[in-house]
Amino acid sequence: MIHTLTALGGMQVAPHHLAAQAGRDVLRDGGNAVEAMVAAASTIAVVYPHMNAIGGDGFWLIHEPGKPPVAIDACGFAAGLADRQFYAGVDAIPARGPKAALTVAGTVGGWARALEVAAGWGPALPLSRLLGDAIRHARDGVAVTASQSALTRSKLEGLKDAPGFADTFLVDGQPPAVGHILRQPALARTLATLAERGLDDFYRGEIGALIGAELERVGSPVRTSDLAAYAAQIVEPLAVRLADSTVYNLPPPTQGLAALMILGIFERLGITEGEGFAHVHGLVESTKRAFRVRDKVVTDPRRLPADPRSFLSAAALDQRAADIDPTRALPWPDPAAPGDTIWMGAVDREGRAVSFIQSVYWEFGSGVVLQDTGITWQNRGTSFSLDPAALNALEPSRKPFHTLNPSLALFDDGRVMPYGTMGGEGQPQTQAAVFTRYARFGQPLQQAVSAPRWLLGRTWGDITTTLKLESRFDPALVQALRDAGHDVEMLNEAYSDTMGHAGALVRHPHGLIEGAVDPRSDGVVAGV
């Protein structure tokens, strides 16, 4: 899909078509952008279970015309019992299974907080309407996608023995075929209960009691008391000022700082033409500088070693841009982080915009599926270190480092652009590619998302930290990058899942909304 789609009455983009349509239908029924996103978020947790679940975390950027964006941190903290003694005898937190399920799931609390932000926008649609599509798809079934089938197969060894996984996501002990009808009746009942009793029931009600009891039963450190202590938080977003716009993202514990630094550094390189060596090399080198700061700074917001905003000042960005050699690559690698996530965007008729991201960290998270509630639980807490001297050392109630980071740009001419992607380490890199292609080099929005992408580092379980390029890049550009010292790895695919599932919306001042979805995903742009 190369043509950029347009609409006037609202638009939703998601990496699964049923989620995009759920959000679009809420917009069509008079709902606002936040309500549409709750509908899409609940639906995608059902229809794209390898990428996210209501047992994961979420982050929001919400923009109302004429007001600064509001950020919501819906990241859960480590359980009260999740200390180093709990993991005595092992060198690292296990990646899968009950001991990987060590943090509270925050995303449902984020839905509730976002709906509070939107409460003054007009009459609210009932939760039964917002969660209705998710309930129906969980009850009646949804066709397994190619990515779910493939990832279940490739990650089966680590997942198959996690409590509840085989009963929920395997067919006679084997990965489901593409098109297999996946039904999740327990999850349907949970969502229906939340629709009836309210979202708070997830933490301090019947659902919370069921979750806490089963997590304890299977061997997780999370307890009902941890859930009861949780609430999503409104936080001040980070921002970077560019020549014609201000771009916003989430503060720590997310890597939003890195996404903004990449743009701020690249802006200073004076590159005037897209898609050539200068563009790709400039963004890759900007990424390296941003990641080195991220890895020294981003942690639980209550124990930051430095103010993240100080790295977004003009002087700090000037200094890091000056360090970039326009012809040579900085030696790499540095440590990298994997992740599996979804990003979605919504804009309503009134111009209110949402950039949203939801995740269970690795594909299927911990692999633990709670049979009483049908909830897949995240393994985000595995990003903690058992080394007490580490920046992200494990302690009870601490928030883990998050790759999640939704972006939203406000242009001086009145355009509003929510954009983002899944893809762990690749998230800030893909965001930079999409933004610069559209905002700096004049590419149509859909072309900016569809064009060939790169990724420095590893994601999706890769062990290599190379500069990975899709096969569609010009061979001359590939050779130029190699000649400059980049450790280039060519991927076989023209449109690779490794590059994430990006999306973007742009609302123009006169009301026209443009939307772009990633051909690498199962998604659509759905307009009203």
Side-chain angles (χ1 to χ4, degrees):
M1 182 192 300
I2 297 299
H3 297 295
T4 301
L5 302 184
T6 58
L8 293 171
M11 188 171 276
Q12 175 85 46
V13 60
H16 192 288
H17 58 99
L18 294 177
Q21 290 161 7
R24 184 273 316 277
D25 289 350
V26 164
L27 293 172
R28 185 193 58 200
D29 290 352
N32 59 53
V34 165
E35 292 174 319
M37 192 58 75
V38 170
S42 58
T43 299
I44 204 159
V46 172
V47 303
Y48 232 31
H50 53 306
M51 291 295 174
N52 75 126
I54 63 171
D57 286 342
F59 294 92
W60 295 71
L61 281 172
I62 303 170
H63 173 64
E64 186 178 359
K67 297 182 180 180
V70 172
I72 296 174
D73 171 339
C75 166
F77 48 74
L81 296 176
D83 56 17
R84 285 185 292 279
Q85 184 58 38
F86 185 83
Y87 295 96
V90 298
D91 295 330
I93 297 169
R96 306 288 195 184
K99 289 193 172 183
L102 68 149
T103 59
V104 172
T107 197
V108 172
W111 302 354
R113 188 53 57 106
L115 290 170
E116 290 174 6
V117 171
W121 294 354
L125 293 177
L127 270 178
S128 58
R129 171 66 189 88
L130 302 186
L131 305 187
D133 281 358
I135 294 167
R136 175 171 59 86
H137 292 309
R139 181 191 65 229
D140 297 346
V142 64
V144 168
T145 61
S147 66
Q148 180 181 339
S149 178
L151 277 169
T152 305
R153 187 169 300 282
S154 66
K155 308 301 180 183
L156 184 62
E157 187 59 33
L159 291 165
K160 60 183 174 61
D161 296 325
F165 184 83
D167 290 342
T168 307
F169 294 120
L170 300 183
V171 180
D172 296 327
Q174 297 300 314
V178 177
H180 169 78
I181 305 304
L182 170 67
R183 294 182 176 88
Q184 301 170 79
L187 183 57
R189 291 192 297 271
T190 293
L191 291 165
T193 300
L194 293 175
E196 177 186 348
R197 295 172 177 260
L199 298 175
D200 194 64
D201 200 77
F202 189 96
Y203 300 97
R204 286 162 282 274
E206 175 185 308
I207 298 298
L210 289 171
I211 292 170
E214 188 168 354
L215 282 170
E216 180 175 3
R217 194 163 65 242
V218 300
S220 161
V222 177
R223 297 291 181 267
T224 303
S225 57
D226 296 311
L227 294 165
Y230 180 76
Q233 299 172 304
I234 293 178
V235 295
E236 183 180 352
L238 295 178
V240 66
R241 178 63 197 171
L242 305 178
D244 61 349
S245 56
T246 302
V247 183
Y248 297 85
N249 210 302
L250 267 291
T254 83
Q255 64 172 339
L257 172 62
L260 298 180
M261 284 187 67
I262 293 168
L263 294 179
I265 294 168
F266 181 80
E267 182 98 342
R268 287 157 168 77
L269 301 182
I271 295 163
T272 58
E273 189 172 323
E275 303 310 307
F277 172 83
H279 181 201
V280 178
H281 173 79
L283 281 176
V284 171
E285 294 303 298
S286 299
T287 297
K288 293 175 182 177
R289 274 68 181 181
F291 279 4
R292 286 191 163 171
V293 171
R294 176 201 68 183
D295 294 343
K296 291 180 173 65
V297 171
V298 176
T299 185
D300 184 298
R302 295 166 298 180
R303 53 188 303 271
L304 297 172
D307 183 353
R309 291 170 294 187
S310 67
F311 299 98
L312 296 170
S313 70
L317 295 169
D318 287 345
Q319 179 183 6
R320 284 178 170 80
D323 182 55
I324 291 177
D325 186 330
T327 63
R328 295 297 302 171
L330 180 75
W332 204 251
D334 277 3
D340 288 288
T341 307
I342 59 90
W343 175 88
M344 300 189 293
V347 176
D348 63 26
R349 185 183 298 274
E350 306 302 321
R352 295 170 295 224
V354 172
S355 184
F356 171 77
I357 203 156
Q358 184 168 273
S359 173
V360 287
Y361 198 29
W362 291 14
E363 57 290 305
F364 293 107
S366 66
V368 173
V369 185
L370 304 179
Q371 297 298 276
D372 292 344
T373 56
I375 299 171
T376 303
W377 210 261
Q378 64 183 355
N379 65 339
R380 180 61 62 174
T382 60
S383 64
F384 284 119
S385 172
L386 295 180
D387 178 356
L391 178 64
N392 284 289
L394 174 65
E395 292 289 349
S397 82
R398 279 186 182 169
K399 291 188 174 184
F401 169 81
H402 254 283
T403 50
L404 306 189
N405 66 106
S407 276
L408 189 143
L410 300 182
F411 291 87
D412 297 348
D413 63 10
R415 285 175 294 160
V416 179
M417 180 182 180
Y419 67 103
T421 183
M422 52 73 76
E425 190 89 340
Q427 286 182 42
Q429 302 181 59
T430 288
Q431 287 185 18
V434 171
F435 182 85
T436 56
R437 281 167 165 160
Y438 170 78
R440 291 293 166 264
F441 305 125
Q443 293 186 20
L445 193 64
Q446 184 60 58
Q447 176 62 28
V449 171
S450 298
R453 292 209 293 265
W454 62 89
L455 185 147
L456 175 71
R458 61 181 174 87
T459 190
W460 289 61
D462 287 328
I463 58 172
T464 60
T465 53
T466 53
L467 176 61
K468 299 170 182 63
L469 273 64
E470 288 181 320
S471 63
R472 291 176 291 146
F473 277 98
D474 181 350
L477 170 58
V478 174
Q479 189 58 49
L481 291 167
R482 285 187 168 128
D483 290 346
H486 293 283
D487 183 13
V488 173
E489 177 184 349
M490 296 303 297
L491 302 181
N492 293 328
E493 304 95 341
Y495 296 89
S496 172
D497 265 342
T498 299
M499 299 301 159
H501 296 164
L505 300 172
V506 174
R507 186 184 189 271
H508 294 264
H510 60 287
L512 181 71
I513 308 166
E514 296 182 291
V517 69
D518 204 321
R520 301 162 183 85
S521 76
D522 296 279
V524 297
V525 174
V528 180

